[in-house]
Every structure is written in C-alpha cells, then in structure tokens.
Amino acid sequence: MRRRTADFRRPVRRRFSNVFWFTLCGLAVLFFILVLSRESGPRSKPTMSKRAYRQERIMEGLNVTEEMLSPNSVTRQLSDQISLAKAFVVIAKESNNLQFAWELSAQIRNSQILLSNAATRRTPLTISESETAVRDMALLLYQAQQLHYDSATMIMRLKAKIQSLEEQMNSVSEKSSKYGQIAAEEVPKGLYCLGLRLTNEWFKNANLQRKSRDRKHVEMKLKDNSLYHFCVFSDNILATSVVINSTATNSKYPDKVVFHIVTDEVNYHPMKAWFSLNSFKGVTIEIQKIESFSWLNASYVPVLKQLQDSETKNYYFSGNLDNGQTPIKFRNPKYLSMLNHLRFYIPEVFPALKKVVFLDDDVVVQKDLSDLFSIDLNGNVNGAVETCMETFHRYHKYLNYSHPLIRSHFDPDACGWAFGMNVFDLVEWRKRNVTGIYHYWQEKNVDRTLWKLGTLPPGLLTFYGLTEPLDPSWHVLGLGYTNVDPQTLEKGAVLHFNGNSKPWLKIGMEKYKVLWEKYVDYSHPSLQQCNFH
C-alpha cells in the first residue's frame, strides 16, 4: 500500500472578507459607546451630592450666632478686639494721644475689612488669614495697657466723662429754661409801641375822652344779671382784644355780652383808647384799673403784705435766697402780681353780679358761650374742666405733701382742674366766704413750704370740694407748649395757649398761631405803624 509523503509546506491561512471586518469594528464602537453612557450616568450622581454637601458645609459656616458664641471662633476674637480698641480710641483722644488713636483706628479698619470679606464670600475666617490682624491688634491693645489704658482706668475715665456730660446737659437745660422764660416774659416791641401810640392818641383826642365819659346807656348793662358777664384781668391790649373779638364773633347774642376788663395804671388809657376806637359787634366793654380799688391794700391782701417783706422780695426779684437752687420759673415776680391774684377777689370787684365767666387773656373763643350761664353748678362755686386724665395733674403734683397741713386736709389723688375758663357762682362764693379761705392758705404759705408756683395751687386749696366738673370740650388746654388732637381742637369752645409759647410771641407755636391771628386785624393803622404782621 502506498503512503502519502509528508508535506512540509506552511498551511494556508483562511482569509475573512472585508464585510466581516467592518461589522466587527461597528460592534466595537457601539460597545464602547454603551460602556461610556453607563459610566457617565452613575458618576453624575456622586458629583451632585458632593456639591450639595459642600454648600451645606458652607452654610453651616455662615451661622453668625454659633460663630460669635464659640470660644474658638476667630470672628468672635476679632470682634472683641475691635470693640475694645474703639473704647481705647476714645480714651486716647481724651488724653490727646492722637497718633496712637490713629494707629488704633487704622487697625480697626483692617480687621473690619477681614470680617467684611469673610461675610462677602460666605465662609468663616480661618486662623491663617486672620493671624496677622489678630497679632497686630493684640500688640496695640497691649501698648494701650502700658499707657495705663487698662479696664479700671477706662471705667473711671468713662464715668468722669459721663458725669461731665451730665453737668453740661444740666447747664444747657437750665440756660434753655432761663432764656425760654425770659423770652416768654418779654414785652414785644410791637406791643410796647402800640401802648405808646394809643396813650398819645388818648390824650390828644378829646373826642375819645368824651365818648368814653358818655356811657350812661352802658351803666345799666354792667349790673344786669340777665346778660352774659365775662371778666378779663390783663395788661396786654392785643391779647384782650382777641379774647373779646373772638367771643363776639362766635356769640349768638353779642349785644347781650358784657366784658369787664381790669388792667393797671400804665395800660389803663391805652386800653380805653383801643376799645373806644374799635367796635366789637355790639359787645359792652367796661375798663377799670386795679389802683382804683381802695380795699385792695396790704392790710387785707396777703400777697401785698408779702411784697413788703424783704425776704420775699429777695426770693422773687434777685433769686439769691437759696443760691439759685429754685428754678427760675418759681421765682417769676408775675406770681405776685395783683392782676394775677385778682381772680380770688371777683365778688369784691363786681359786687352787683351773681355769675361771671372768667377768661385768661391767652385764650381764643371759637364757640358760643351763652350756655355756660345756664349750667347748674349743684351748689358749688367754681365750674371748671378737670385735668386729671393723667396722674401728673392731680393734687400731689402741685402741693407739698410732706407738709402735715397739706397731708391732713387734701387727698393727693384728688383731680386737678384748670384756670383760664371758669364759671363762678358769686352768690355761693359770698355765702361760703371763699376769699377768706384763700387768705387762710395764702398766709400759711408765707415761707413757701406748701407750694411754690403761681395761682393754681392756692386755687386748688381754696376751691377744694367747691368745684363742679365741666365737659372737657368747654376748655381745651396745651396750645402754648404741646400738640393737641385736631378733633379736640375743632370741638373746643375755648382754646387756651397756656405755656410759654404765647401766640403773640416769636416763640409761639406756628401751627396754632393762625387760630389766634384770625381775630387780629393787621390792616388797622395802629398795628401797621407798630410793624405788626
């Protein structure tokens, strides 16, 4: 049998077609894309979680409260240094060490810039970035201590500074009060001019004097108790004119209104000239001078008796008795003026009258007041608007309750009331001898231990238990020192400019002046000549 011979040739490789290779490459590309897409999906989630975690950590670092409370906080340390440095700046300036104050201020600014940058980027300060600022500030603070700007010294100096500022404030307040009081008591040049011109007019004009004497038709009205009688005690011509003009303008029956004016010798003839030259819608006007009351003398009137005492004169007119400890407003001589105290002698001034309405010269009337004369005072003497809506208008505000005489006779929480618009029943007044009560308390207060200021405290004592409260709308107070509710102003029958800011003064409250000035005729020749405008 024949054997095949051995074949030592290399075997022929089987070749693949081009289609196979293209297919294989496409599958490889697809597989690579698939792998990449799978890897990109899972990896994106950890990336987002890392960002959220980082933001959360940043927000945690922005917790200012935790930063300031943490004992290891660089922000807190820097803030404490700034606060202490600011105090040292003040002390350095007080010690005239301006160079050191400037260095502290510069370092304070540097530290503040660091804090501001940290707040802007919303990350807490690190020790590395703030180390220089903390060290430099610490060196300056140490230097301040070496200059004896330590805590004890600083406290002492600050206390001394506070005391100095308080003394300055008290001095300025006292001067302000004093100058305000002087401004309130001054006689404006216009009023002074008006008085002089009217005096000259009175004595050179015989017709005015004749007209004043020919008043027979008026005499009966002055004693007619069926009419509406008002009284004003004043030395201010223009203010009195406004009271009468506003009353006449708003009265339903001006021909039934009678005004009784009492003034002093200096203003008597100017008053007569003014009210003779001008008419007020038929209102009857009587003018008297206080010097004509012969019964008004030192033997009868305690105030006049006190004026003869040298100690009283020294207290009111020089202020040297107590080394200036008493405020100037308590030493105002006007509180010894008989025009001011004449309100306690109304029955003697008008012996024929049974009821009068007393008006201060710093009021404006904007309603008809005839209904006041029909108010039942229930057996009381004084009809007045109470002012005890606030605690500081009760009796303890005006009287010295450390004095046993006051403490044993009067309730400290009794309601106060106001002078300025009062209805007086003169029949009851005479029956109860109210003027005698006034004399009693005035004589007890010779040493000024019961009260110090004005006519209201003795009025509160005199009319204690004899005052009938009136509706508050009859008398609105405060236009000379405070703000008044507009609705209250609108409803008010009598508006009172009590306080220093009188409407005829430059220091008057501008927003309320118009209520007073509407009753002043600035076109009047006498007012124009005296530069009233």
Side-chain angles (χ1 to χ4, degrees):
M1 185 172 172
R2 189 177 177 180
R3 292 182 177 181
R4 182 179 294 180
T5 58
D7 191 359
F8 295 101
R9 294 179 299 177
R10 294 177 64 182
V12 178
R13 293 181 180 177
R14 184 176 295 176
R15 296 183 177 178
F16 297 97
S17 65
N18 292 335
V19 176
F20 173 78
W21 290 112
F22 281 123
T23 303
L24 185 61
C25 289
L27 290 173
V29 170
L30 288 173
F31 178 76
F32 181 72
I33 293 173
L34 180 62
V35 170
L36 287 178
S37 64
R38 287 181 179 179
E39 289 181 354
S40 63
R43 287 177 182 173
S44 63
K45 289 182 180 179
T47 303
M48 292 300 294
S49 63
K50 286 180 180 179
R51 289 178 182 174
Y53 176 75
R54 185 179 302 168
Q55 289 181 357
E56 183 178 347
R57 294 299 300 168
I58 290 174
M59 294 305 294
E60 287 179 0
L62 289 176
N63 192 323
V64 178
T65 303
E66 289 185 2
E67 278 289 301
M68 297 306 295
L69 292 178
S70 172
N72 300 320
S73 169
V74 179
T75 302
R76 175 180 175 178
Q77 184 179 359
L78 209 54
S79 298
D80 289 345
Q81 284 185 331
I82 291 174
S83 300
L84 188 58
K86 286 181 177 179
F88 284 141
V89 168
V90 175
I91 298 176
K93 288 181 179 179
E94 287 294 322
S95 303
N96 205 29
N97 193 346
L98 301 181
Q99 176 63 29
F100 185 62
W102 180 86
E103 292 176 5
L104 279 170
S105 299
Q107 189 55 45
I108 288 172
R109 284 193 295 271
N110 293 338
S111 299
Q112 287 174 335
I113 290 171
L114 274 178
L115 293 175
S116 176
N117 292 338
T120 302
R121 68 171 185 260
R122 298 187 176 184
T123 55
L125 279 173
T126 62
I127 296 177
S128 58
E129 63 182 328
S130 59
E131 181 179 2
T132 303
V134 172
R135 184 182 65 251
D136 293 344
M137 182 68 85
L139 289 173
L140 286 175
L141 295 178
Y142 176 75
Q143 186 178 350
Q145 290 180 348
Q146 295 302 308
L147 292 170
H148 302 291
Y149 296 164
D150 55 6
S151 299
T153 304
M154 188 170 72
I155 291 172
M156 293 298 293
R157 290 194 177 186
L158 288 177
K159 284 184 177 180
K161 183 65 176 177
I162 291 171
Q163 184 177 357
S164 174
L165 290 174
E166 286 179 349
E167 291 175 355
Q168 292 178 24
M169 182 186 69
N170 292 336
S171 175
V172 170
S173 177
E174 183 180 352
K175 288 180 180 178
S176 174
S177 176
K178 184 181 295 184
Y179 296 147
Q181 196 70 34
I182 293 172
E185 295 168 15
E186 71 169 350
V187 178
K189 290 189 292 184
L191 283 179
Y192 183 73
C193 167
L194 181 62
L196 291 177
R197 288 190 174 276
L198 290 173
T199 301
N200 183 54
E201 182 69 23
W202 173 262
F203 284 106
K204 78 174 185 180
N205 192 334
N207 290 330
L208 277 182
Q209 299 180 33
R210 191 180 306 110
K211 181 180 178 181
S212 177
R213 288 193 299 266
D214 186 20
R215 292 169 57 87
K216 293 181 181 179
H217 64 287
V218 174
E219 294 298 328
M220 294 301 296
K221 281 190 172 184
L222 299 180
K223 301 177 182 180
D224 188 349
N225 282 290
S226 66
L227 303 180
Y228 307 128
H229 293 269
F230 298 85
C231 62
V232 179
F233 307 143
S234 174
D235 57 2
N236 189 321
I237 301 169
L238 195 59
T240 304
S241 177
V242 168
V243 175
I244 296 176
N245 190 25
S246 61
T247 304
T249 301
N250 295 288
S251 176
K252 296 178 181 177
Y253 316 103
D255 57 319
K256 293 185 177 181
V257 173
V258 181
F259 264 92
H260 304 267
I261 302 171
V262 180
T263 187
D264 55 18
E265 180 73 38
V266 174
N267 292 282
Y268 177 64
H269 293 108
M271 284 269 194
K272 290 180 75 71
W274 177 261
F275 290 106
S276 297
L277 288 169
N278 301 281
S279 62
F280 296 88
K281 300 183 182 299
V283 170
T284 301
I285 301 173
E286 176 194 28
I287 302 171
Q288 301 182 78
K289 58 182 177 180
I290 197 169
E291 288 81 2
S292 65
F293 302 142
S294 58
W295 49 268
L296 207 61
N297 51 62
S299 62
Y300 177 62
V301 180
V303 170
L304 292 177
K305 190 186 301 181
Q306 291 172 20
L307 275 175
Q308 297 177 352
D309 180 58
S310 59
E311 184 178 323
T312 302
K313 289 180 181 178
N314 190 41
Y315 178 84
Y316 280 100
F317 294 96
S318 69
N320 296 326
L321 191 63
D322 58 354
N323 297 320
Q325 293 179 3
T326 305
I328 186 174
K329 67 177 183 178
F330 294 113
R331 303 196 306 269
N332 191 340
K334 80 172 185 178
Y335 296 122
L336 290 180
S337 166
M338 276 313 304
L339 280 178
N340 206 33
H341 283 262
L342 197 62
R343 64 193 67 190
F344 295 105
Y345 299 94
I346 291 178
E348 285 91 338
V349 178
F350 312 113
L353 299 183
K354 295 180 179 180
K355 181 176 284 189
V356 297
V357 171
F358 168 78
L359 295 175
D360 269 338
D361 63 358
D362 55 352
V363 304
V364 166
V365 178
Q366 60 177 12
K367 305 284 184 184
D368 177 63
L369 300 183
S370 58
D371 288 341
L372 283 173
F373 292 86
S374 59
I375 291 178
D376 185 3
L377 297 182
N378 297 311
N380 289 307
V381 177
N382 174 30
V385 170
E386 293 183 330
T387 57
C388 59
M389 285 73 72
E390 304 291 343
T391 57
F392 54 79
H393 283 144
R394 297 186 182 274
Y395 268 48
H396 62 77
K397 169 64 178 178
Y398 304 98
L399 304 172
N400 177 20
Y401 272 86
S402 64
H403 197 290
L405 197 58
I406 295 294
R407 193 167 57 248
S408 61
H409 284 79
F410 304 99
D411 178 8
D413 291 324
C415 193
W417 45 268
F419 270 129
M421 195 292 298
N422 304 82
V423 184
F424 290 123
D425 185 336
L426 302 186
V427 176
E428 286 294 326
W429 186 312
R430 297 182 184 100
K431 185 186 301 183
R432 295 172 180 264
N433 190 22
V434 173
T435 302
I437 299 173
Y438 162 72
H439 283 173
Y440 172 81
W441 289 111
Q442 194 71 43
E443 289 171 352
K444 291 292 183 182
N445 194 46
V446 174
D447 56 358
R448 297 172 299 279
T449 56
L450 304 186
W451 73 85
K452 289 185 180 295
L453 175 65
T455 55
L456 182 55
L460 295 176
L461 301 183
T462 301
F463 294 102
Y464 184 71
L466 299 174
T467 300
E468 180 70 15
L470 301 181
D471 188 285
S473 63
W474 281 115
H475 188 191
V476 176
L477 297 109
L479 279 75
Y481 71 94
T482 189
N483 294 317
V484 182
D485 179 63
Q487 293 184 351
T488 303
L489 280 180
E490 186 178 353
K491 295 178 181 178
V494 176
L495 307 181
H496 197 169
F497 290 82
N498 58 310
N500 284 340
S501 302
K502 304 299 184 187
W504 56 84
L505 298 176
K506 291 181 180 180
I507 62 173
M509 299 179 71
E510 292 295 333
K511 62 179 177 180
Y512 297 140
K513 273 189 176 182
V514 64
L515 300 171
W516 186 84
E517 291 178 336
K518 65 191 290 189
Y519 298 105
V520 179
D521 181 12
Y522 287 109
S523 64
H524 194 285
S526 297
L527 297 184
Q528 288 190 340
Q529 290 169 1
C530 291
N531 200 26
F532 279 98
H533 52 76

